[in-house]
Amino acid sequence: MCTCAKLIALEITNIYENGDTEFHYDYCEDLKDGRGFTAGIAGFCTGTGDAWQVIQEYHKLTGGNDKFTSMDSVLAKYASDGSDSTAGLEDYLSTWEELGKSDTKFQQAQDTVRDDLYYNPAQAASNKLGLKLDISQGQIYDTGIEHGTGDDLDGMLALISATNKEFTSDAPGDSGSTLTINGHQVDEIVWLQKFIQVREADLKNPKEKENQGGNYWAQTTYRTKSYSYMIAQKEYMWTKSVTLLDNDGKPTTVSCSGGAVSSTRRKRGPDGRPIRVRRKRELVHSSKPPPNRRRRPVVAGKRNVEL
């Protein structure tokens, strides 16, 4: 994706996640979901290791002498143990909020880790498929953010695999881009439409037990419906702007110059709280984990176990 298309893809997912196109670097909250503090532009958690990865990246930029330094030993322990405890992190929330608002190095650290964990794996999967259209690559990225980029039953890679199995013959179309799936020639938009169907079915009926609680995933099908709308509008390439459906189902235009033309709001659950999907999480100890290593996600604060 070009720089403009990437920014649009990120902003679209921001709308689905937060209700606006902004990058909420300063967001921090204990959601009481077994993962400690959740913070920043991609919901980095102290109990799963990705928040610690952000802090380590930040240390590289500050020389290791910054407002998080005194918390390093606690953060490293909770990341290693998969602990949801916030003891010893009394200043964590206020520090994250303060630095997230104005510290460009801290914002850069979040950008780097988001790309390492979500954007780059999504791009790798897109490249392997041969996807050429921005709309397809954007959908894969959004799937990675919500479902995780792993190969668990509800993960991005599993959904791609399930989609590919649907093609047992050629599937022509008029998108101008053709994929080779199982030896068959498949139009890229035809493939994308099938992928969206597979993803929406998974949102309505997640396979992993931990993703079934609260029916929260089923409440986020506005993400797939929004992309279906873009397909209908033939918004395939994102060179300047794109019109999509916001979380209320209203058309809104996002541009790479920043911002949405019309406003939207974050979806809320029956309890009135904003819906933040509890997506599949992995303990992260390195931005480049060994190949083919699957990790069991942290559930309710239990320690991660290697598979």
Side-chain angles (χ1 to χ4, degrees):
M1 302 180 84
C2 69
T3 301
C4 177
K6 177 183 178 180
L7 179 57
I8 288 175
L10 299 180
E11 290 179 336
I12 288 173
T13 292
N14 284 352
I15 288 177
Y16 303 151
E17 291 276 300
N18 305 309
D20 57 45
T21 59
E22 299 302 314
F23 293 89
H24 293 270
Y25 295 101
D26 60 336
Y27 166 76
C28 189
E29 183 179 4
D30 182 359
L31 296 173
K32 308 296 184 183
D33 64 352
R35 302 174 188 194
F37 284 112
T38 297
I41 58 173
F44 305 113
C45 298
T46 55
T48 60
D50 47 1
W52 173 227
Q53 187 171 335
V54 171
I55 303 305
Q56 290 177 296
E57 189 67 30
Y58 181 53
H59 287 339
K60 292 178 185 177
L61 300 174
T62 64
N65 184 21
D66 54 65
K67 293 186 176 181
F68 278 114
T69 304
S70 62
M71 308 178 212
D72 280 359
S73 60
V74 177
L75 288 168
K77 176 175 173 53
Y78 291 166
S80 177
D81 293 347
S83 172
D84 66 344
S85 175
T86 58
L89 298 177
E90 287 75 18
D91 295 328
Y92 182 87
L93 189 151
S94 60
T95 300
W96 191 291
E97 290 180 335
E98 176 189 348
L99 297 178
K101 283 183 171 68
S102 59
D103 190 317
T104 56
K105 290 181 179 179
F106 188 51
Q107 294 173 359
Q108 180 183 337
Q110 292 189 48
D111 288 338
T112 297
V113 176
R114 176 207 55 216
D115 284 357
D116 283 347
L117 297 183
Y118 300 108
Y119 183 78
N120 293 341
Q123 281 290 283
S126 295
N127 292 338
K128 185 176 181 179
L129 281 164
L131 301 180
K132 300 293 191 300
L133 305 179
D134 294 332
I135 189 173
S136 305
Q137 297 175 60
Q139 170 65 196
I140 297 300
Y141 167 71
D142 186 68
T143 301
I145 283 286
E146 182 172 29
H147 296 250
T149 57
D151 57 359
D152 58 273
L153 297 178
D154 296 315
M156 178 188 76
L157 296 180
L159 298 183
I160 289 174
S161 178
T163 301
N164 289 346
K165 290 178 181 178
E166 295 289 324
F167 293 98
T168 58
S169 62
D170 290 351
D174 59 3
S175 73
S177 177
T178 302
L179 311 177
T180 300
I181 306 294
N182 304 324
H184 304 294
Q185 300 300 293
V186 178
D187 180 80
E188 183 168 334
I189 289 298
V190 173
W191 183 92
L192 178 59
Q193 289 173 315
K194 179 59 66 176
F195 178 83
I196 288 173
Q197 291 174 12
V198 169
R199 181 186 177 189
E200 186 162 312
D202 188 76
L203 287 172
K204 292 178 179 178
N205 187 26
K207 298 177 180 63
E208 297 278 357
K209 184 177 180 180
E210 68 192 69
N211 297 329
Q212 297 169 3
N215 200 36
Y216 283 118
W217 276 36
Q219 297 178 56
T220 66
T221 55
Y222 52 81
R223 302 170 88 124
T224 50
K225 296 183 188 308
S226 180
Y227 266 86
S228 293
Y229 176 85
M230 284 186 271
I231 290 174
Q233 303 302 309
K234 296 188 181 297
E235 298 269 18
Y236 299 162
M237 298 301 294
W238 302 341
T239 56
K240 293 182 180 179
S241 63
V242 61
T243 300
L244 63 145
L245 296 182
D246 66 16
N247 299 348
D248 296 317
K250 299 177 181 178
T252 187
T253 300
V254 174
S255 72
C256 58
S257 60
V261 173
S262 63
S263 63
T264 183
R265 60 188 174 87
R266 186 184 299 175
K267 282 288 187 181
R268 295 180 178 271
D271 58 1
R273 290 173 58 84
I275 294 175
R276 278 190 171 272
V277 175
R278 184 178 175 181
R279 61 180 173 268
K280 194 86 169 179
R281 285 280 183 191
E282 298 176 337
L283 276 181
V284 179
H285 301 293
S286 168
S287 61
K288 296 181 179 180
N292 301 320
R293 174 178 289 182
R294 295 179 59 223
R295 298 179 185 273
R296 189 185 305 278
V298 174
V299 180
K302 295 181 180 179
R303 180 174 178 140
N304 184 60
V305 179
E306 292 285 355
L307 295 181

